Amino acid sequence: MRFWLGASFVDTDQFLELARAAERCGFDTLTLSDHLFYADFASPYPYSRSGRPRWDARTHWPDVWVTIGAMAAVTTTLRFSPNVYIAPARDLFTVAKQVSTAAVLSKDRVTFGVGVGWCKEEFVGTGQDFHTRGRRLDAMLPTLRSLWAGESVALDGLPELSISPTPERPIPVYVGGDSDAALRRAARLGDGWIGNRIYTEEQFDVVLATLRGHLGESGRSEPFDIIAPLAVMPDADTYRRFAAKGVTGTMAAPWWLATPEEKARYGEGTLDLKIATMERFAEEVIAKL
């Protein structure tokens, strides 16, 4: 079981120290989320009952690839992944070049966590079609893999082309989302799947059964990673049980479960609180697996 640190809603000036602490504590991957701007969105947010986002205009959403580049410079083994990057809100070449460059600078420590997104306003802002985002992502992923491998590709209206720099190793592609379309896309085009919400065991079992069905339909027999954020109290035995179901990794943000004593000692929202709770999580959970 690998542990991913879910670092959404973290202030930008905390990321470098958070990355150092994550590496020291034994986390495998640090994740951060992708949003372009804040507005009074008409698009319903799919992960809250009200349909409203859980953040406001003051919440930091630093650029994913700039931040990963900075964190990679102060670490040596920690991996990085967006959870998830909304690739179809950008053009193919912006995505190809940013991800490839981050992979090269980090010495192959990047996972491409990708999804179709829910916020129509962001697509309008970048001039991309919201309604075809799924089909465009399906077409984009094989081309991205070819470009990242240093191959030349032929695209309509352009001469045969390639990009540079490209990483030494293939960039893993993990597809996010738990709709049927997202799970089917993960099974068909991904190296793994990332959950976009925190799942109870009952919810996750349904998702896992659907995902396994699509993997079978796609004839997938090679290893396939399943990164599942789980609504369970951190406990080594619990994580062993999920590992037996085929979960290869989970996501945690230990500061969300800080004790009242820790909050009083370090202060809510502080970097000190985040690091203290990560160190406790490493001692009580990671070290026992």
Side-chain angles (χ1 to χ4, degrees):
M1 177 73 73
R2 290 172 289 150
F3 289 92
W4 289 31
L5 184 70
S8 298
F9 309 108
V10 168
D11 286 350
T12 306
D13 61 1
Q14 296 182 356
F15 272 103
L16 299 190
E17 287 303 321
L18 202 67
R20 291 187 180 101
E23 184 169 84
R24 184 174 68 251
C25 289
F27 284 89
D28 178 85
T29 299
L30 186 150
T31 75
L32 61 167
S33 297
D34 172 41
H35 279 292
L36 290 168
F37 54 77
Y38 179 82
D40 184 14
F41 298 122
S43 300
Y45 179 62
Y47 305 118
S48 70
R49 292 183 179 179
S50 68
R52 303 297 301 167
R54 295 192 293 261
W55 62 90
D56 59 29
R58 297 166 295 179
T59 305
H60 288 204
W61 298 104
D63 179 84
V64 167
W65 303 109
V66 172
T67 309
I68 285 175
M71 292 188 293
V74 300
T75 55
T76 56
T77 60
L78 185 67
R79 295 188 60 83
F80 304 97
S81 176
N83 184 32
V84 289
Y85 190 64
I86 310 306
R90 284 87 169 180
D91 67 273
L92 171 72
F93 299 110
T94 295
V95 178
K97 184 58 71 73
Q98 287 181 326
V99 180
S100 183
T101 302
V104 170
L105 290 174
S106 67
K107 294 182 171 56
D108 299 306
R109 289 187 283 140
V110 163
T111 295
F112 187 50
V114 65
V116 298
W118 58 269
C119 184
K120 182 178 180 180
E121 288 85 348
E122 292 184 320
F123 286 76
V124 173
T126 58
Q128 303 295 324
D129 185 15
F130 179 73
H131 299 290
T132 62
R133 66 196 190 281
R135 294 196 300 273
R136 289 188 293 107
L137 180 57
D138 288 350
M140 184 183 287
L141 289 176
T143 305
L144 287 172
R145 288 187 188 272
S146 294
L147 289 170
W148 294 335
E151 299 171 3
S152 295
V153 301
L155 301 171
D156 290 345
L158 291 170
E160 196 168 85
L161 58 89
S162 61
I163 67 168
S164 185
T166 57
E168 292 186 6
R169 299 176 184 173
I171 298 171
V173 175
Y174 289 12
V175 176
D178 53 22
S179 68
D180 188 70
L183 295 171
R184 191 181 299 275
R185 180 175 297 113
R188 185 164 42 88
L189 297 172
D191 302 301
W193 170 80
I194 310 176
N196 284 99
R197 67 180 84 212
I198 300 175
Y199 301 89
T200 65
E201 185 164 1
E202 293 77 13
Q203 291 170 331
F204 175 69
D205 284 346
V206 173
V207 172
L208 182 60
T210 304
L211 178 60
R212 283 180 169 158
H214 290 319
L215 286 167
E217 291 170 3
S218 298
R220 300 289 298 271
S221 58
E222 67 269 25
F224 185 88
D225 280 331
I226 297 173
I227 310 300
L230 300 167
V232 298
M233 292 302 293
D235 175 83
D237 288 338
T238 299
Y239 289 128
R240 289 191 189 98
R241 183 161 52 83
F242 278 96
K245 294 185 178 190
V247 176
T248 56
T250 190
M251 202 171 297
W255 50 90
W256 293 109
L257 295 175
T259 65
E261 293 77 16
E262 287 170 327
K263 292 177 182 178
R265 179 177 180 182
Y266 298 107
E268 292 198 47
T270 64
L271 178 63
D272 286 344
L273 177 67
K274 292 180 177 67
I275 292 176
T277 54
M278 288 164 61
E279 290 173 342
R280 177 166 58 82
F281 186 89
E283 180 180 349
E284 295 178 355
V285 180
I286 296 177
K288 295 180 180 179
L289 288 168

